[in-house]
């Protein structure tokens, strides 16, 4: 069983939802409102809860995008400072993590290797790995690259700048997100095009 990870954004949304839920009760018991307003607030928040949550997500989205793009830019700049670093990108519909783990094990016998952890294959996970874990002693960085639509592998390649690419295989595993088998092929092939 996986426990949810409370990011800052998730914690903020959770606390806001709790505050909004408790507002009618606190208002009534503190004497700020009359009983009929209490009932009105309960109905309003009960019926409007999905709209309130959707609105809070919409309000925080621009900030989330800004901080995500800033993090990606910082990671890209840090990567550019390490021209000597050999980056190996791995993508495909299946076998990415296994290939990465085998390759990291083999190469770590002779080189100082950094790899993305477990299934951390998104732009934020790769950016965080570059920013928090990459240091001057690393000679090789093995990057697992996942995607659900075209353009995502290209973004990861722009950030990590791989010199070697491994395409494990292509299936119709995420066809509902990519839209077609052709889009899956083109999306995964972005790694090859970036080399």
């Amino acid at each position: 069983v996986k426990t949810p990870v409370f990011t800052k954004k998730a914690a903020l949304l959770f606390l806001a939802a709790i505050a909004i839920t408790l507002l009618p009760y606190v208002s009534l018991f503190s004497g700020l409102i009359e009983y009929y307003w209490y009932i009105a607030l309960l109905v309003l928040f009960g019926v409007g809860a999905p709209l309130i949550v959707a609105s809070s997500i919409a309000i925080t989205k621009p900030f989330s995008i800004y901080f995500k793009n800033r993090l990606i830019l910082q990671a890209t700049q840090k990567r550019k400072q390490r021209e000597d670093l050999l980056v190996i990108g791995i993508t495909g519909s299946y076998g990415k993590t296994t290939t990465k783990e085998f390759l990291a094990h083999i190469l770590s016998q002779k080189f100082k290797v950094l790899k993305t952890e477990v299934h951390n294959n998104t732009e934020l996970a790769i950016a965080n790995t570059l920013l928090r874990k990459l240091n001057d002693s690393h000679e090789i960085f093995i990057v697992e690259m996942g995607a659900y639509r075209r353009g995502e592998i290209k973004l990861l390649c722009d950030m990590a700048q791989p010199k070697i690419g491994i395409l494990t295989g292509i299936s119709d595993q995420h066809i509902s997100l990519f839209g077609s088998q052709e889009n899956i092929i083109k999306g995964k092939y972005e790694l090859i095009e970036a080399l």
Side-chain angles (χ1 to χ4, degrees):
V1 175
K2 290 186 177 183
T3 56
V5 177
F6 267 92
T7 62
K8 290 177 186 176
K9 180 180 173 183
L12 181 64
L13 290 172
F14 178 74
L15 291 174
I18 294 294
I20 289 170
T21 303
L22 293 177
L23 183 64
Y25 302 107
V26 171
S27 298
L28 177 67
F29 292 116
S30 64
L32 295 174
I33 60 171
E34 297 295 325
Y35 186 74
Y36 54 87
W37 284 110
Y38 165 72
I39 299 299
L41 281 176
L42 280 180
V43 170
L44 175 69
F45 289 142
V47 172
L51 182 60
I52 292 168
V53 172
S55 299
S56 62
I57 290 171
I59 290 168
T60 60
K61 187 161 182 95
F63 299 104
S64 179
I65 291 170
Y66 169 77
F67 287 114
K68 179 176 106 172
N69 289 339
R70 194 174 112 197
L71 191 71
I72 291 169
L73 179 63
Q74 289 172 342
T76 302
Q77 290 170 343
K78 182 174 181 180
R79 166 61 186 103
K80 285 181 180 177
Q81 294 172 355
R82 289 290 315 274
E83 291 180 21
D84 61 321
L85 184 68
L86 174 63
V87 178
I88 302 170
I90 302 172
T91 194
S93 299
Y94 52 86
K96 295 181 294 292
T97 303
T98 303
T99 302
K100 176 191 66 183
E101 294 298 329
F102 278 127
L103 188 60
H105 180 75
I106 292 166
L107 291 175
S108 66
Q109 305 303 309
K110 187 173 180 181
F111 302 99
K112 179 74 172 165
V113 175
L114 174 65
K115 63 180 173 132
T116 53
E117 295 299 320
V118 194
H119 299 289
N120 292 343
N121 57 20
T122 64
E123 63 260 1
L124 288 179
I126 293 169
N128 279 322
T129 301
L130 279 166
L131 290 171
R132 295 180 182 164
K133 295 187 177 182
L134 180 66
N135 61 50
D136 291 338
S137 70
H138 291 116
E139 299 168 283
I140 298 174
F141 180 35
I142 303 173
V143 185
E144 179 179 337
M145 299 178 168
Y148 294 116
R149 56 192 62 83
R150 287 178 59 186
E152 291 182 352
I153 297 290
K154 182 184 181 321
L155 174 67
L156 300 177
C157 289
D158 289 346
M159 181 179 17
Q161 303 166 10
K163 296 175 183 170
I164 297 173
I166 299 173
L167 181 54
T168 60
I170 296 174
S171 72
D172 60 359
Q173 185 173 4
H174 299 298
I175 200 161
S176 62
L177 297 168
F178 274 97
S180 70
Q181 185 70 26
E182 181 181 340
N183 283 340
I184 294 173
I185 293 167
K186 287 180 180 178
K188 300 300 182 181
Y189 198 74
E190 290 168 359
L191 172 59
I192 307 306
E193 292 171 340
L195 300 176

